[in-house]
Amino acid sequence: MEPTPNGLYGAPPPENPSTNGDYRPRPTTPDNITVVKSGVVQTKDEMARREENSWDPVVRVYNRRWVMLLLFCLVSMSNAFQWIQYSVVSNVVKDFYDVSQMAVDWFSMVYMLTYIPLILPGTWLLDHSGLRLIGVLAASLNCAGAWLKYTGARPDLFPVAMGGQAVAAVAQVFILGMPAHVAATWFGAEQVSTACAIGVFGNQFGVAIGFVIPPLIVKPHEDDEVVEKGMKTMFLITALVTTFLLILILLFYKERPPRPPSRAQLEGQREKEGKSFLDSIWALTTNFNFVLLLISYGINVGSYYAIGTLLNQIVLSEYPDAEVEVGIIGLTLVLSGIMGSVVTGLWLDKTRIYRGTCITVYILSLTGMALFTGSMSLNQLWIVGAVAAFLGFFMTGYLPLGFEFAAELTYPESEGTSSGLLNASAQAFGIPFTILVGMVISNQGALYGNLILTGSLFIGSIITACIKADLRRQRAERNESTVEDSKEAETPDNPNRGITEEPAVVTKDERKHEAEYDKLNNDGSETGGENSGSSGHPNESCVELDVKVLQRQIPNEEDE
C-alpha cells in the first residue's frame, strides 16, 4: 500500500484548491502535550484540572442577569432611603428627640464612619464568598436596621434609633461596592458599563425617594405624639419592604452564572487564582493612576454626600419654612443624577472614552456647584431647583464613571476591591466635609459653606486631569497579548494565519522536521509536478519524518 500525499497510509484527502497542492495534515493532539493557554505553559492534565475547578471557558450571557441586577438595585434602593430619611427632616428630628443638630447629622455620617473601618473585611468577604452571601448579609442587616428604627421611634429612645441606623450602615458596606462587581460577573463587555450605571441608579433612586417621602409623612408639629405617629408609619413601611426584599434575595439571588459573560472576566478570574487579598490591595495602592482617581473620586462624591446631608440646612438658612420644597429640590438633584448615571454608562459602552469623559463630567460638576452657590441668593427657589438638576446630573453621573474607570485602571484586580476603596475615599472626605460645612453654615451662612465645596471640586478637577488612560481591561478583552505572540505566524505563506487561540509549544527538533517537510513539498512541486510518483504528489518520503511533526496541533481556520 502506497503512502498518501499526507505521509500516512490510507485514502488521500480531497482536493482543496486553496492549499495550492500542499496537503498539510490535520494531526491529532498527542497525550499530555504541553500547550500555552492564557500565557501559562500547561499540560493537558493540568488544563483539565483547572477547568474542573473553574468556570466553563465558553463565554455566554444569560437572561437571568437582569433579575440579579434588579434584586440588587431594590436592596440598594431601600438602604439608600434609610440613609437620608432622617437628614431631610432634620429640624423635626432634632425637636422630637431633643438633641443637637450635630447629633442629627450623625444619622447620616454614621453611614460614612462605619464604612471606612469595615470596607477591607467587607471586600475580602466579597472576593472570597461571592455575590450570594454578600447579598444575603446586606439584605438581612438592612432589614434588621429598619425594624430597630421602628422600635426607636419614641422621644426617649434616641440611642435605639441611632443603633438601627448603624446596623443599616453596616449593610451599606456590602452594597456600595457591588455595582461594578455585579456588572462584571453577569454582563458581557458591551453591557458592563450600562449595568454598572443601573446598579448605581438603584442607590440614587432610593436617595430620591428619601428626599420626598419623609417630609410628606413626618411634618413639624408641637405635639410629639403626632410626630411619633408619622415616624412610626414611615419606619413600619420601610421595615415591611426590607423584609420582603430579604425573602426575594434568599429565594432567587445567585452567586454567578454557569459560564463567564466575557473574555476579560474569564481571563481575570484565572489570573487572580492563587493571589492573596493583601497582594491585591498592594497592587491597587501602588497603582499611581488609581491613587489619583481615589482622591478625585473621594472629593467629588464626598461633596455630594455633604450636600445631601446638609441640604435641609442649606435651603432653610435662606428660605425658612420650606421643608417640602427641600424635598422637591433633593428629588430633582437625585433624579437628574439618575439620568446622568445612565447616560454616562451608555456613553462609555458606546465610546470606551474613559479619561476624557471623567475630565468633562468633573469640570461640569464644578460648574454646577458654582452655579448652585450663586443661585441661593436670588430669592427664587425654582432657580435653585433647576441648578440642582444640572449639578446632580453630572455629580451623580460621575459615580458609575469612577467605578468603571477604576476597573479599567486596575484590571485584573477585583472590581469589588477597587470600587470598595473608591467608596471608602468618598466616606473619608464626606465626614469632614459634612462637619466643616455644617459648622460654617451655622456660624457664617450657606454661601461660605458652598464655597468650600466649590474650591474642593476645583482641586479634584486638576487631579482628574493628571490621570492617564491605562485601559487594561480593554486590552484583555481584545486579547492583544495573544495577537502579539502570533504576529510571527501571520504571513501570506502560512495557511493558518490569524489563529491566535492556544498555539502549541514547538520544540527545536519539531521545527527542524517541519522545515524538512516544507522543503520536500517545495522541491517536489518544482520537479515532479502532477506526474511525480504514483500518488500524484512528491510527498512519499514524508513517512520517514518523525511522527511528532504530524501529531503537532496545528489549528485550522475552519475551526474558528
Side-chain angles (χ1 to χ4, degrees):
M1 186 175 184
E2 295 182 351
T4 62
N6 66 357
L8 299 175
Y9 289 92
E15 291 288 342
N16 187 352
S18 65
T19 61
N20 295 322
D22 182 9
Y23 295 92
R24 188 174 290 257
R26 289 188 59 191
T28 59
T29 305
D31 291 338
N32 214 33
I33 189 172
T34 302
V35 299
V36 173
K37 190 177 183 72
S38 305
V40 180
V41 177
Q42 308 168 38
T43 65
K44 285 179 63 179
D45 292 341
E46 290 172 341
M47 289 172 57
R49 285 194 297 270
R50 287 168 64 89
E51 295 300 343
E52 288 177 1
N53 297 322
S54 63
W55 283 347
D56 191 313
V58 178
V59 171
R60 179 181 174 185
V61 293
Y62 296 81
N63 290 334
R64 77 186 77 165
R65 67 190 185 277
W66 297 108
V67 177
M68 301 301 108
L69 184 60
L70 175 63
L71 290 175
F72 165 75
C73 286
L74 292 174
V75 174
S76 179
M77 178 184 71
S78 63
N79 184 260
F81 174 82
Q82 295 196 67
W83 167 60
I84 204 68
Q85 63 185 162
Y86 284 112
S87 297
V88 74
V89 288
S90 60
N91 57 321
V92 182
V93 175
K94 175 186 174 183
D95 295 336
F96 179 72
Y97 286 113
D98 193 21
V99 294
S100 67
Q101 183 63 54
M102 181 60 69
V104 176
D105 290 343
W106 273 107
F107 275 115
S108 172
M109 289 190 291
V110 70
Y111 262 61
M112 308 177 200
L113 183 64
T114 305
Y115 192 90
I116 297 173
L118 294 181
I119 178 55
L120 291 182
T123 302
W124 179 87
L125 196 61
L126 175 61
D127 287 341
H128 289 76
S129 302
L131 289 175
R132 175 169 172 79
L133 177 60
I134 294 299
V136 171
L137 280 175
S140 300
L141 291 169
N142 197 44
C143 178
W147 282 108
L148 276 175
K149 289 197 288 186
Y150 172 74
T151 304
R154 283 172 41 186
D156 59 332
L157 293 179
F158 176 80
V160 176
M162 183 62 75
Q165 188 77 344
V167 172
V170 176
Q172 178 212 213
V173 175
F174 302 111
I175 292 172
L176 281 188
M178 287 180 66
H181 202 76
V182 172
T185 301
W186 284 94
F187 288 81
E190 70 284 354
Q191 292 180 330
V192 66
S193 294
T194 302
C196 181
I198 295 173
V200 174
F201 159 87
N203 191 272
Q204 295 307 304
F205 190 71
V207 176
I209 298 174
F211 273 117
V212 175
I213 293 181
L216 298 178
I217 300 177
V218 182
K219 298 180 180 181
H221 201 281
E222 295 179 357
D223 189 352
D224 284 346
E225 291 185 0
V226 176
V227 177
E228 180 180 338
K229 182 179 179 181
M231 293 186 69
K232 280 189 172 293
T233 300
M234 178 177 65
F235 291 129
L236 179 60
I237 294 173
T238 305
L240 292 175
V241 170
T242 55
T243 302
F244 177 69
L245 291 178
L246 174 59
I247 295 173
L248 291 180
I249 290 291
L250 290 172
L251 292 178
F252 302 110
Y253 202 63
K254 305 296 182 182
E255 181 172 336
R256 66 181 184 185
R259 296 176 180 175
S262 68
R263 183 184 300 276
Q265 179 70 7
L266 173 63
E267 297 302 325
Q269 195 75 10
R270 287 169 173 165
E271 289 185 35
K272 286 182 286 189
E273 290 179 0
K275 193 171 186 178
S276 71
F277 179 69
L278 292 180
D279 289 338
S280 179
I281 294 295
W282 176 254
L284 292 177
T285 54
T286 55
N287 184 327
F288 183 67
N289 289 314
F290 177 70
V291 171
L292 291 178
L293 179 62
L294 201 64
I295 298 171
S296 65
Y297 183 92
I299 293 174
N300 187 298
V301 182
S303 299
Y304 172 76
Y305 287 161
I307 293 172
T309 302
L310 302 172
L311 185 63
N312 181 276
Q313 299 174 53
I314 292 173
V315 175
L316 293 184
S317 66
E318 299 290 338
Y319 303 92
D321 302 322
E323 288 86 359
V324 176
E325 287 79 2
V326 170
I328 296 175
I329 292 173
L331 175 66
T332 303
L333 178 77
V334 178
L335 288 182
S336 62
I338 292 172
M339 294 177 58
S341 297
V342 174
V343 169
T344 54
L346 293 172
W347 172 260
L348 288 182
D349 277 334
K350 183 176 180 62
T351 65
R352 305 295 177 90
I353 302 174
Y354 289 85
R355 181 176 179 272
T357 306
C358 270
I359 295 173
T360 302
V361 171
Y362 215 111
I363 292 175
L364 291 172
S365 297
L366 169 62
T367 304
M369 190 67 222
L371 292 174
F372 182 77
T373 301
S375 67
M376 293 300 300
S377 60
L378 297 179
N379 294 321
Q380 296 290 333
L381 268 176
W382 71 269
I383 297 179
V384 176
V387 174
F390 180 87
L391 174 63
F393 184 90
F394 294 105
M395 186 171 277
T396 308
Y398 190 75
L399 297 177
L401 179 57
F403 286 159
E404 286 302 297
F405 197 18
E408 291 287 343
L409 294 174
T410 61
Y411 180 88
E413 307 304 330
S414 169
E415 297 86 359
T417 305
S418 60
S419 58
L421 290 178
L422 287 179
N423 283 315
S425 176
Q427 317 294 343
F429 279 97
I431 292 175
F433 281 172
T434 302
I435 295 175
L436 177 60
V437 174
M439 292 173 58
V440 171
I441 291 173
S442 299
N443 298 322
Q444 303 295 328
L447 173 63
Y448 294 99
N450 289 336
L451 285 175
I452 292 175
L453 298 179
T454 304
S456 300
L457 289 173
F458 177 75
I459 296 173
S461 299
I462 297 175
I463 296 174
T464 303
C466 297
I467 303 174
K468 295 182 180 179
D470 182 18
L471 306 182
R472 301 178 181 182
R473 187 171 64 178
Q474 284 194 38
R475 288 202 298 270
E477 193 62 43
R478 293 194 298 265
N479 209 12
E480 287 183 357
S481 59
T482 307
V483 173
E484 287 293 324
D485 292 340
S486 64
K487 278 185 177 179
E488 184 178 348
E490 296 180 10
T491 62
D493 297 330
N494 185 358
N496 298 291
R497 60 186 179 274
I499 305 302
T500 62
E501 294 189 1
E502 303 180 12
V505 174
V506 186
T507 65
K508 183 182 293 186
D509 291 339
E510 288 175 328
R511 290 186 183 279
K512 178 180 177 182
H513 289 313
E514 186 176 16
E516 294 175 4
Y517 181 96
D518 292 336
K519 184 175 182 299
L520 287 172
N521 277 340
N522 296 333
D523 291 344
S525 299
E526 294 174 0
T527 59
E530 297 178 355
N531 300 321
S532 297
S534 59
S535 64
H537 197 280
N539 288 349
E540 296 177 1
S541 60
C542 286
V543 293
E544 300 175 5
L545 296 179
D546 193 331
V547 71
K548 289 169 68 178
V549 176
L550 302 179
Q551 289 180 324
R552 266 193 57 232
Q553 183 180 13
I554 304 175
N556 192 305
E557 291 186 61
E558 295 178 358
D559 296 334
E560 293 296 306

